[in-house]
Amino acid sequence: MNKKALPILCCLFFTLHTMAQQPFDTSSAISNLISQMTLQEKVNMIHASSSFTSGAVPRLGIPEFTSSDGPHGVRPEHGRGWDLTNNTADSGTYLPTGVCLAATWNPQLGVEYGKVLGSEAKYRHKNVILGPGINIIRTPLNGRNFEYQSEDPFLVSKMAVGYIKGVQSQGVSACVKHFAANNQEINRHTINVLMSERALREIYLPGFKAAVQEAGVNTIMASYNKFRGEWASQNNYLLNQVLKKEWNFKGVVISDWDAVTSTSEALWNGLDIEMGTDLHMLPNPDYSKFYLGDTVISLVKSGKIPEYLINDKVRRILYVMFKTNMINGTTDKGEYNTKEHQLTALKVAEEGIVLLKNQHNILPLNAKKIKSIAVIGLNANRKQSMGGGSSQVRAFYEITPLEGLQSIAGNKVKINYAQGYEIKRNAIANQSLIEEAVKAAKNSDVAIIVGGWTHGYDYNNWKDNAYDAEDVDKPNMDMPFGQNELIKAVVKANPKTIVVLMGGGPIDMTQWIDETASVIQNWYAGMEGGTALAKIIFGEVNPSGKLPMSFPKKLEDNPSYVLGEYPGDGNNVHYYDDIYVGYRYYDTYKVEPQFAFGHGLSYSNFEYSNLQLSSEGNNAKATFTIKNTSKIAGAEIAELYIHQEKSLLPRPLKELKGFEKVNLQPGEQKTISIPLNQNSFQYFNDVKNEWEMEPGVFDILIGSSSRDIKLNGKIKM
Ligand code: BGC
């Protein structure tokens, strides 16, 4: 080798070596890319290029940003347009819906759930999964409660953080939605939501804040509704002030599909990508005619809009693209329909299905002793995965309750199936179906009725006669299709009747609950939902889910009904119920629910003892013991609520500030420690417009539900 070349080579090697060791400077790479882009190319990136993509810049190696619903599976393919393709290769894992995940009270399971979604999204070449949906469950009637999580902001935050971390661990972005105050579907495209700053900060925003600050969510979807007079997708206060400035959100704000109404408001008020406006242009959409399309180019060229505003949006998109290895990165391919994914779906269902009532320990059933079961109800024999609207999933398979029961019960148990009711428009009780069900119940050792809500009777036309579905709310809380008559008749025919309810939330049970021995809340429990239900019924799985929302007896008991407005007058809806959402209302105003927030039974018994409280500065700790005093292994969720004895502003009787799910063998006991910090004790003082830690005495309440407090103590903060 030429001797002179040696020092040069060494120097080059040294430089390359040091470069390799230095972290990649994303920020200058982004600036570099932006500096090479034409205005047209930048604008292409901030609006849709098909139903679920926004624009690419192929010349610079910038791909399209591809999204998919969400939130409990990767949605069937639309191709580039809006019609679903008939490509069955898109049938994947159908996870239990959001509300069932929340009912597990197990954030680690949230992580596993998110990993399945992230991995399957990646396999299907999606960069963003449009979930989790985390709007607060304010009214039992909201058609999308089944996709959402809870009435409680603390539980929402914990579950959403797990989900998002799981998705994003796969190099796919989560998109937390719908920001903000999208708590009803009726009039979702027109309604203006009005609420106090305190309700906003204490109830409706914490989940989103945790998604940004604790989970580092990459994208957020702005909702359809107006908030304080401005469309949420073009809302200066929500997007610029709170999200981007206060919370320091670095990612991308995506509009809900077809939520944008004005170019300059969207540009100035914090929106980064406009999606779905093509829904107005079908069948031949012209993407350049989006609000954030050609108009932006003319506005910038004429000096009415500064280019830095567009650069900021492009910068954010590129930031997420680099973060998820979409540019210059390598990633694995993801996995699809694996046994492991199906087991996650099963595990979430097993932990999320809630045993509400179990008189005389009628459950679990003993498969060896039982000879026959009447399985009654259309929901027992019906697949749910394609229902509900944009969250539909083409399930790789879906075990119905009937199939699950048959396979766990085995061949020795005779199953007598009866349909019981019809899912059809304005259906009332069908007497001949009821008679058939009664006969089956009389001829069987036990009866299991699987009913409740449905997504609707026509999956292709989800708004028609739908209950748990997008763009519709339920008309009331009454059982549809004559199910009250059915249940009453079956319970009379066979007192050993178990009622299993599907649905995104409470239904009015008052006509039959007192006479009915056992009730199970099954939600929409995913592709393995039927297996999980059957395992619980036969005691192969010990139930451990708890309600993430209160179940009122009647709709008229609900605070949005009593104190607030719902659904509003078509223009405005005032949340006069304020911070008194869910149990915050039922407990403070002494209204007895049918089943309380946090309620859920186990086949085990748990004993709580030895509460010890300590504090240092603004931090505190509650330590206590839980013992499984029964003969079978089980899991208990211990819930910690605080109550401030005296405060300047009124506070609810209870506020959830901690929980822990613990597995215990028979006779085993464990010591649980739940940490509390300043966030646990403060409230939002909307006179001062800031969070306030008001010193005083706090009751610390540890319970098995919000209404079954086992231990309490006081602490001075
Ligand atoms: C829904 C979103 C969904 C989007 C795309 C909208 O109608 O509100 O939740 O992600 O459509 O399908």
Side-chain angles (χ1 to χ4, degrees), residues 322-578:
F322 274 107
K323 196 175 162 197
T324 53
N325 285 323
M326 288 174 64
I327 303 176
N328 283 350
T330 51
T331 175
D332 62 283
K333 290 221 295 271
E335 287 183 313
Y336 207 56
N337 280 329
T338 60
K339 190 78 203 148
E340 213 185 341
H341 293 181
Q342 291 149 14
L343 282 176
T344 301
L346 176 63
K347 184 97 178 92
V348 174
E350 287 174 356
E351 287 201 28
I353 291 174
V354 182
L355 177 61
L356 293 175
K357 183 173 179 187
N358 193 22
Q359 217 170 27
H360 311 306
N361 293 332
I362 172 176
L363 289 177
L365 302 181
N366 185 337
K368 287 194 192 108
K369 287 196 183 146
I370 282 183
K371 301 215 163 38
S372 55
I373 305 176
V375 177
I376 296 164
L378 205 45
N379 272 352
N381 193 21
R382 193 165 189 261
K383 299 193 186 211
Q384 305 286 352
S385 43
M386 280 296 278
S390 59
S391 65
Q392 62 186 187
V393 181
R394 211 189 312 267
F396 186 54
Y397 63 83
E398 179 179 346
I399 309 286
T400 63
L402 185 60
E403 289 164 347
L405 286 163
Q406 184 70 78
S407 92
I408 304 282
N411 295 337
K412 289 196 186 120
V413 179
K414 181 158 191 297
I415 304 255
N416 301 312
Y417 175 71
Q419 184 182 317
Y421 61 93
E422 293 172 284
I423 296 183
K424 74 174 202 200
R425 190 196 307 270
N426 301 328
I428 48 163
N430 178 323
Q431 289 310 330
S432 70
L433 289 180
I434 292 183
E435 274 163 33
E436 196 183 287
V438 164
K439 202 167 144 209
K442 274 191 181 150
N443 291 337
S444 308
D445 295 340
V446 291
I448 301 173
I449 304 178
V450 186
W453 301 115
T454 65
H455 288 307
Y457 72 92
D458 180 356
Y459 296 144
N460 296 319
N461 188 4
W462 79 71
K463 291 179 204 168
D464 206 3
N465 209 28
Y467 296 90
D468 284 314
E470 185 175 342
D471 214 10
V472 288
D473 281 356
K474 303 174 183 88
N476 50 49
M477 238 175 74
D478 300 343
M479 287 201 99
F481 318 129
Q483 292 180 76
N484 281 323
E485 286 82 343
L486 171 73
I487 297 174
K488 283 190 278 188
V490 171
V491 167
K492 210 163 144 205
N494 189 337
K496 285 195 182 146
T497 293
I498 297 130
V499 174
V500 178
L501 297 166
M502 289 205 180
I507 204 159
D508 187 330
M509 309 178 201
T510 48
Q511 291 197 33
W512 45 264
I513 184 73
D514 291 342
E515 290 74 38
T516 303
S518 179
V519 183
I520 294 175
Q521 181 61 36
N522 188 82
W523 318 111
Y524 296 105
M527 69 198 304
E528 285 286 357
T531 316
L533 175 68
K535 282 183 157 187
I536 286 173
I537 286 180
F538 286 105
E540 284 186 24
V541 164
N542 191 349
S544 65
K546 293 196 176 182
L547 291 181
M549 68 183 78
S550 310
F551 274 26
K553 290 187 173 159
K554 297 245 156 231
L555 176 61
E556 295 75 22
D557 292 342
N558 177 262
S560 70
Y561 200 95
V562 185
L563 302 177
E565 287 180 355
Y566 167 84
D569 61 11
N571 297 317
N572 297 311
V573 58
H574 291 90
Y575 288 10
Y576 294 130
D577 37 331
D578 204 55

Side-chain angles (χ1 to χ4, degrees), residues 52 69 75 82 130 144 177-178 188 221 224 256-257 390 470:
F52 285 91
D69 289 295
R75 195 177 181 184
W82 275 100
L130 301 173
R144 289 187 95 168
K177 65 191 189 182
H178 306 87
R188 66 175 177 168
M221 187 188 294
Y224 286 127
D256 200 339
W257 269 236
S390 59
E470 185 175 342

Side-chain angles (χ1 to χ4, degrees), residues 594-608:
Q594 190 73 64
F595 293 106
F597 173 80
H599 167 76
L601 302 173
S602 161
Y603 299 144
S604 304
N605 300 312
F606 302 102
E607 203 176 81
Y608 287 64

